[in-house]
Amino acid sequence: MDMDGDWSLPRPNTLFKVNSRPAGTSLSKKSSIATTFSSLATPVVAEAVQRAKELSTKTDVEGFHQLRVAFRKLRALYWAYSPYLGEEATAQATEELKRLAAVAGGTRDWDIARDLLDTAQKSGASIEPLVAAAREKRAQAVVHSQTMIRSDEVEAFLNDALLRAQTTLQSRCNDLPIRAFAEKRVRLAQRTLQKRSRYAARSETTHEEDLHDVRKAGKKLRYLLEFFQPVIKGGHGRTIKELTSVQNKLGQFNDIAASETLIRSASFDEVPPEVVQASLQWLETQKCRRMRAASRRVRAISGGDGRASARG
């Protein structure tokens, strides 16, 4: 569920308790749907709040990346529980989580673009002015992220959203066991991945948007398997490992495509147009190579049996 927009950040009267215990430690096959949501969401919220606090003073690459990942994991969790949370509540929460992830991702995107431009320069491309400009863009993105992601507001939003979700689930499915529900949601995520993989692989010419759709579907499935692994049938460690491998290949392509879009849309007043063009030509060449590699992996996972498709 991908939506844009803002959700107001009210401060709840009662805070949703967070702690740092690992996800899944209190999960069992006899747990209820309502209690597992709390168990799974709590450590992710704790990490997101901690990351947001750290980024008020730190600007490390990994910090912004992990904050964005935490927001994405929470979106996947809201999707999983949406049949009981309801469409409106799910939409409101995922809308704001997507916005926060995008703000955190602004710095990360310039980190990736800057690293790619460094590689281009080392390979012989004469783009030093653009490399320097990308460093400045990254610095500006840090300021924007720190301004827009205030840890106290993030904590208030997450506490309020999760308290509402927990209250809703306790009233609707407090006594319903988790196992069948979790397996059903995982199967739906698997079918979505299989459908998108086959769609992307059916043509000789793979489109960027199709690969992006496969990447998002695979990411959602991996997060759900990581969340629900303690309560669903069968061992899924290998599946998660293979999903991660495919995601890495798709991620390498996405980094190139996103950086190309970022540079095309940015304004570089102090950089000669021919320098920008040289960087775009290098990125285009690299994008084609990585797109072919990503397409091969997608075709491989789209043509096998049900388990192969699930692994992709």
Side-chain angles (χ1 to χ4, degrees):
M1 188 175 298
D2 290 333
M3 295 154 288
D4 296 312
D6 297 340
W7 188 26
S8 58
L9 307 180
R11 281 192 183 278
N13 294 322
T14 304
L15 292 182
F16 186 94
K17 285 188 176 182
V18 297
N19 58 49
S20 57
R21 70 179 184 273
T25 55
S26 62
L27 266 66
S28 72
K29 298 169 186 176
K30 296 182 180 180
S31 299
S32 73
I33 295 174
T35 58
T36 53
F37 180 87
S38 174
S39 297
L40 293 171
T42 294
V44 185
V45 168
E47 180 181 2
V49 171
Q50 184 61 34
R51 295 283 184 183
K53 289 179 179 178
E54 292 174 353
L55 291 178
S56 64
T57 57
K58 300 178 181 178
T59 62
D60 64 293
V61 175
E62 190 62 17
F64 283 105
H65 174 60
Q66 291 303 325
L67 180 58
R68 180 162 63 173
V69 169
F71 290 139
R72 286 173 172 173
K73 285 183 177 181
L74 288 171
R75 287 176 60 201
L77 199 59
Y78 265 88
W79 176 86
Y81 286 82
S82 60
Y84 290 106
L85 289 173
E87 184 176 345
E88 182 178 357
T90 301
Q92 285 183 328
T94 54
E95 199 174 330
E96 178 64 9
L97 289 168
K98 182 178 180 180
R99 187 189 71 83
L100 289 169
V103 174
T107 297
R108 172 66 174 166
D109 290 343
W110 277 112
D111 281 321
I112 293 171
R114 184 187 58 186
D115 290 345
L116 287 169
L117 292 174
D118 283 340
T119 301
Q121 189 176 21
K122 291 175 183 176
S123 69
S126 300
I127 56 172
E128 171 57 32
L130 185 59
V131 173
R135 294 194 189 101
E136 178 60 29
K137 292 289 186 182
R138 198 268 184 185
Q140 294 171 4
V142 167
V143 174
H144 178 70
S145 296
Q146 290 176 328
T147 301
M148 299 299 294
I149 300 179
R150 297 185 180 276
S151 60
D152 58 339
E153 292 183 347
V154 170
E155 185 172 13
F157 158 65
L158 292 177
N159 283 330
D160 182 67
L162 295 184
L163 181 61
R164 293 184 190 187
Q166 184 179 359
T167 302
T168 299
L169 293 173
Q170 286 174 341
S171 67
R172 295 179 178 177
C173 55
N174 198 42
D175 297 327
L176 298 178
I178 184 61
R179 185 169 185 170
F181 172 78
E183 289 176 346
K184 182 177 180 180
R185 300 305 284 170
V186 166
R187 283 196 300 271
L188 181 57
Q190 288 175 334
R191 286 197 294 270
T192 300
L193 174 60
Q194 182 178 9
K195 180 179 179 181
R196 291 184 177 180
S197 298
R198 289 178 174 173
Y199 184 85
R202 71 180 184 177
S203 172
E204 286 297 322
T205 303
T206 305
H207 297 287
E208 291 184 30
E209 296 81 2
D210 297 335
L211 289 179
H212 186 53
D213 287 343
V214 173
R215 180 169 172 265
K216 289 192 295 183
K219 194 175 298 183
K220 178 187 288 183
L221 175 58
R222 178 165 62 88
Y223 291 154
L224 293 187
L225 287 173
E226 290 172 347
F227 279 132
F228 292 132
Q229 190 172 10
V231 298
I232 57 180
K233 293 179 181 178
H236 293 276
R238 183 183 175 188
T239 303
I240 293 171
K241 184 181 293 186
E242 293 190 16
L243 272 171
T244 302
S245 175
V246 174
Q247 288 298 304
N248 287 340
K249 188 67 68 174
L250 289 169
Q252 290 172 5
F253 163 70
N254 185 72
D255 287 349
I256 289 280
S259 295
E260 181 188 33
T261 300
L262 194 64
I263 291 172
R264 286 188 187 279
S265 61
S267 174
F268 301 100
D269 296 333
E270 304 298 323
V271 181
E274 59 270 19
V275 173
V276 177
Q277 189 60 36
S279 74
L280 291 173
Q281 290 174 349
W282 184 88
L283 287 169
E284 181 67 28
T285 299
Q286 298 301 311
K287 184 175 75 171
C288 291
R289 180 175 62 83
R290 293 191 183 185
M291 189 173 187
R292 287 193 295 269
S295 297
R296 285 194 295 269
R297 292 303 298 272
V298 170
R299 289 192 174 91
I301 65 175
S302 68
D305 56 22
R307 181 169 174 78
S309 296
R311 287 202 296 259

